[in-house]
Amino acid sequence: MFEKVLTRHINLPDSQRLANYEKTGGYRAWQKALKEMTSDQVIEVVKQSNLRGRGGAGFPAGMKWGFVPKNTDKPHYLLNNADESEPGTFKDRLIINGNPHSTIEGSMIASYAIRANTCYIYIRGEFVKEAKVLETAIREAYDKGYLGKNILGSGFSLDMYVHRGAGAYICGEETGLIESLEGKRGWPRIKPPFPAIEGVFRCPTIVNNVETLACVPYIIERGAEWFKSIGPAGGPGPKLYCLSGHVKKPGVYELPMGVNLKELIYEYGGGILNDKKLKAVIPGGSSVPVLTAEEIDVAMDFDSLAKIGTMLGSAGVIVMDEDTDMVNALLNIAHFYRHESCGQCTPCREGTHWAEKLLKKIKSGQGSMADIDLLAEVADHINFRTICPLGDAAAMPIQSFVKKFRHEFEAKVRKSAA
Amino acid sequence: MNIAFSDDAMKEFQEIVARYPNKRAALLPALHLAQREFAWLPREALEYVGRLLELPYSEVYDTASFYTMFKLKPTGKYHLQVCHTLSCALRGAGAICDHVKEKYGIGNGETTPDGKLSLVKVECLGSCGTAPVVQINDDYYEDLSPEQLDRILDGLKTEK
């Protein structure tokens, strides 16, 4: 039987309070790390656990931490990425509202591991209430002596602050986030140098997602083997899946990594709204390739989804029923990326505009068969040709929708020709 | 408009600046604070924040104009931000916008003549499991029907 950890106590009253978090074992890992472990030992355990990033890219967290140089005079920084903005994703918000101390404790442990004395939680600006929840939780942690100078007599000091964004999807990209934190436009940086070497304020910086960090205390407390025993060894752990769109019971579900997508939709999500038939599913937030109804018998983990040509991404599952107009759905997504393109790279800035225009043309009955090919070609020319992955995120839905649902695009064109 | 922080806001501003190794990094939080104090960000507010942080107006504008939440134009007292990204669109965001247009006469980017209500369609608000979602000023209202929206707005209007 799978034991929920990330959400284990969030349905209890005042689950966001430090005292209630401690009642369920909270902050034991922080004390253990400070008193019994060196920074390098913490990194080693997280490496052993195979914890992979929950923000979208799935990069191994322990390996990332290991990139921080050992001998620099510069201060180090930990940035907790709470800029949750990928369409279809709303899990970090749940953690922040219901279990904020888990990601705060994880941030403390990660800061200790990378020898950072300052941590900023960068939260999207729209989450006004959530920013207050975090600020209150941080204050509780200071009062308890878990933050501040010489924490629990360990000699280690850490300050933690909440930093609000102001409405820009691109700031979820780690170097866009760093630029934004520095008070600038969220324009992603060319890498290298990677943030671990030169990040915020030109200092070594690690950026991790809220959920990734929320896993850390449990790994420290229970060990890497426990974590690895949940789901596939190549990317294990408890996982928050976001279910939205045409399902009966949308919401966040904590399940083992690798849960079957069909089971997630039909058993946990209660099936398709109004008992309609399923047409398509986007499994990992709007930027990953779409799946047809025939493709959903698949394990929701990094490697299984990669094998069928899509991605786990942020585990934002968007369900579309038989009546969904796929041209309209793609137009909605294309509009999003056009709006959120930061404007820095030409293929993305121009290509996302062009794609949206073509889709509007096809939708309104003015399109031709050549426009469908042109749309796919525009996407091909955005993909892998930009500084950051927003370009790929804009291109992948277009490529997959046109490939898998081409008949719907053609039907619109034929209808207009007739 | 008299553009200057109150004593309390100035104290808050000083606390914000102290969190960062340089003043520039305080720009986003300082703009949030200015917007809270002045309701929106006219040029004078951007210049004022620039003076406090030792930044030229051009750089403050460069940053402020990048982010959708910074209001470079005034909005209604109740600012309706209707999420219209995919999950909300699949669950009725269009009907919410149509209803606002029909009942209150405002479309995307418009404000009612009395300045009470404004509407803007926004990108994903990160609350897809409770779609459709509307953010009114700072607060999220989830799983909304047009009728519920009316009740909420009636409640807000009678509040003060």
Side-chain angles (χ1 to χ4, degrees):
Chain A
M1 174 79 187
F2 172 67
E3 178 205 354
K4 288 181 185 176
V5 287
L6 299 170
T7 59
R8 66 180 164 197
H9 76 293
I10 63 164
N11 292 324
L12 301 174
D14 293 328
S15 64
Q16 81 284 7
R17 300 301 303 269
L18 185 142
N20 292 330
Y21 179 62
E22 283 189 317
K23 270 184 211 154
T24 56
Y27 287 110
R28 280 205 297 249
W30 182 219
Q31 302 189 35
K32 180 178 174 184
L34 278 179
K35 289 177 182 163
E36 299 170 24
M37 299 169 84
T38 64
S39 293
D40 288 344
Q41 282 170 334
V42 173
I43 293 178
E44 194 49 39
V45 171
V46 175
K47 270 187 189 165
Q48 292 293 330
S49 77
N50 285 343
L51 168 63
R52 291 172 65 175
R54 286 2 185 185
F59 195 82
M63 192 193 288
K64 203 184 211 182
W65 297 358
F67 294 151
V68 172
K70 301 275 177 220
N71 306 307
T72 63
D73 300 334
K74 293 177 175 177
H76 300 177
Y77 291 94
L78 181 83
L79 309 183
N80 182 329
N81 186 347
D83 192 57
E84 182 169 63
S85 310
E86 173 74 15
T89 315
F90 45 100
K91 62 188 179 60
D92 297 340
R93 181 168 175 244
L94 181 86
I95 294 178
I96 293 166
N97 277 323
N99 192 8
H101 283 286
S102 64
T103 197
I104 289 172
E105 187 182 8
S107 302
M108 293 170 181
I109 297 166
S111 297
Y112 177 70
I114 65 160
R115 299 169 307 282
N117 301 114
T118 310
C119 167
Y120 297 100
I121 303 180
Y122 185 107
I123 185 166
R124 62 177 298 178
E126 293 87 346
F127 286 176
V128 182
K129 180 185 145 219
E130 288 74 11
K132 285 181 187 151
V133 171
L134 283 170
E135 276 167 358
T136 304
I138 289 171
R139 218 173 305 126
E140 285 183 309
Y142 270 105
D143 290 346
K144 190 83 190 189
Y146 293 149
L147 283 168
K149 297 226 173 340
N150 187 21
I151 298 164
L152 307 175
S154 64
F156 180 74
S157 300
L158 177 64
D159 283 311
M160 194 177 288
Y161 307 103
V162 174
H163 184 98
R164 287 177 61 212
Y169 169 74
I170 193 62
C171 295
E173 195 278 338
E174 60 179 12
T175 60
L177 186 152
I178 285 169
E179 286 284 308
S180 178
L181 182 60
E182 290 184 357
K184 304 172 200 159
R185 305 179 147 233
W187 275 14
R189 293 177 182 173
I190 292 173
K191 294 179 260 192
F194 286 91
I197 309 298
E198 196 180 301
V200 75
F201 312 124
R202 309 210 128 207
C203 295
T205 302
I206 291 296
V207 187
N208 285 137
N209 166 264
V210 168
E211 185 189 354
T212 312
L213 289 165
C215 289
V216 170
Y218 304 105
I219 293 170
I220 296 301
E221 200 193 329
R222 301 177 178 207
E225 289 309 314
W226 163 79
F227 195 77
K228 269 201 290 200
S229 71
I230 303 165
K239 180 77 195 90
L240 299 183
Y241 296 96
C242 318
L243 203 50
S244 70
H246 293 139
V247 279
K248 286 183 185 167
K249 293 190 283 180
V252 176
Y253 294 88
E254 180 177 356
L255 293 162
M257 188 68 94
V259 69
N260 184 281
L261 177 56
K262 195 172 184 177
E263 196 184 321
L264 179 64
I265 294 170
Y266 285 93
E267 285 180 32
Y268 295 95
I272 311 304
L273 199 63
N274 303 323
D275 292 316
K276 286 191 182 162
K277 275 198 213 138
L278 177 68
K279 183 185 275 186
V281 182
I282 299 172
S286 69
S287 59
V288 312
V290 67
L291 298 173
T292 63
E294 292 71 40
E295 292 176 299
I296 64 161
D297 193 4
V298 62
M300 287 286 288
D301 61 65
F302 295 106
D303 299 333
S304 304
L305 286 164
K307 249 181 235 157
I308 61 164
T310 186
M311 292 162 72
L312 179 64
S314 56
V317 179
I318 306 173
V319 176
M320 290 171 273
D321 71 16
E322 56 187 319
D323 296 333
T324 309
D325 179 329
M326 296 307 273
V327 176
N328 258 345
L330 181 60
L331 174 58
N332 185 294
I333 295 171
H335 168 86
F336 175 84
Y337 291 103
R338 192 271 294 160
H339 187 270
E340 298 302 328
S341 173
C342 81
Q344 196 176 195
C345 309
T346 310
C348 176
R349 183 186 62 240
E350 303 298 323
T352 52
H353 267 269
W354 200 358
E356 188 187 10
K357 262 192 198 169
L358 283 166
L359 278 159
K360 279 185 176 163
K361 193 176 165 194
I362 294 166
K363 182 195 167 183
S364 67
Q366 312 290 311
S368 66
M369 291 296 174
D371 287 329
I372 303 174
D373 293 326
L374 183 58
L375 177 64
E377 202 186 323
V378 168
D380 290 345
H381 284 284
I382 304 173
N383 210 12
F384 295 126
R385 285 179 170 82
T386 52
I387 291 171
C388 89
L390 193 145
D392 312 345
M396 287 187 293
I398 298 173
Q399 291 165 326
S400 62
F401 270 67
V402 171
K403 189 174 159 209
K404 293 181 183 177
F405 297 94
R406 193 180 173 96
H407 54 281
E408 292 201 24
F409 292 78
E410 289 182 350
K412 288 241 194 280
V413 168
R414 268 197 294 273
K415 206 170 158 191
S416 56
Chain B
M1 193 189 289
N2 182 24
I3 296 289
F5 283 156
S6 64
D7 290 349
D8 284 351
M10 186 53 90
K11 198 173 151 240
E12 219 176 304
F13 170 79
Q14 303 294 358
E15 281 167 13
I16 289 167
V17 171
R19 295 175 197 158
Y20 306 96
N22 64 49
K23 283 190 167 178
R24 173 86 196 227
L27 182 52
L28 262 63
L31 288 170
H32 276 302
L33 180 63
Q35 184 159 286
R36 195 191 72 198
E37 293 296 298
F38 312 131
W40 63 291
L41 297 170
R43 180 178 173 131
E44 296 74 28
L46 299 182
E47 286 172 341
Y48 176 70
V49 169
R51 279 198 300 280
L52 291 175
L53 293 174
E54 295 165 37
L55 292 168
Y57 166 73
S58 58
E59 285 185 28
V60 176
Y61 180 79
D62 177 87
T63 296
S65 60
F66 184 76
Y67 297 93
T68 54
M69 286 179 70
F70 292 134
K71 301 175 187 172
L72 303 180
K73 283 186 273 183
T75 57
K77 184 176 179 199
Y78 300 109
H79 187 44
L80 268 56
Q81 300 143 89
V82 182
C83 176
H84 73 137
T85 309
L86 191 55
S87 299
C88 279
L90 294 171
R91 299 292 291 251
I96 299 271
C97 286
D98 292 348
H99 176 76
V100 173
K101 176 85 194 170
E102 199 177 308
K103 175 146 185 188
Y104 304 96
I106 48 171
N108 190 20
E110 294 174 352
T111 307
T112 53
D114 63 1
K116 283 269 169 66
L117 211 60
S118 55
L119 173 82
V120 62
K121 288 185 186 179
V122 295
E123 304 304 326
C124 188
L125 285 174
S127 187
C128 323
T130 46
V133 177
V134 178
Q135 187 171 19
I136 305 176
N137 298 345
D138 286 348
D139 300 322
Y140 276 46
Y141 295 90
E142 304 172 37
D143 225 335
L144 269 190
S145 65
E147 297 71 35
Q148 282 167 319
L149 179 65
D150 283 341
R151 280 200 292 278
I152 290 161
L153 289 176
D154 289 345
L156 286 174
K157 279 184 193 162
T158 52
E159 216 169 58
K160 7 183 174 164

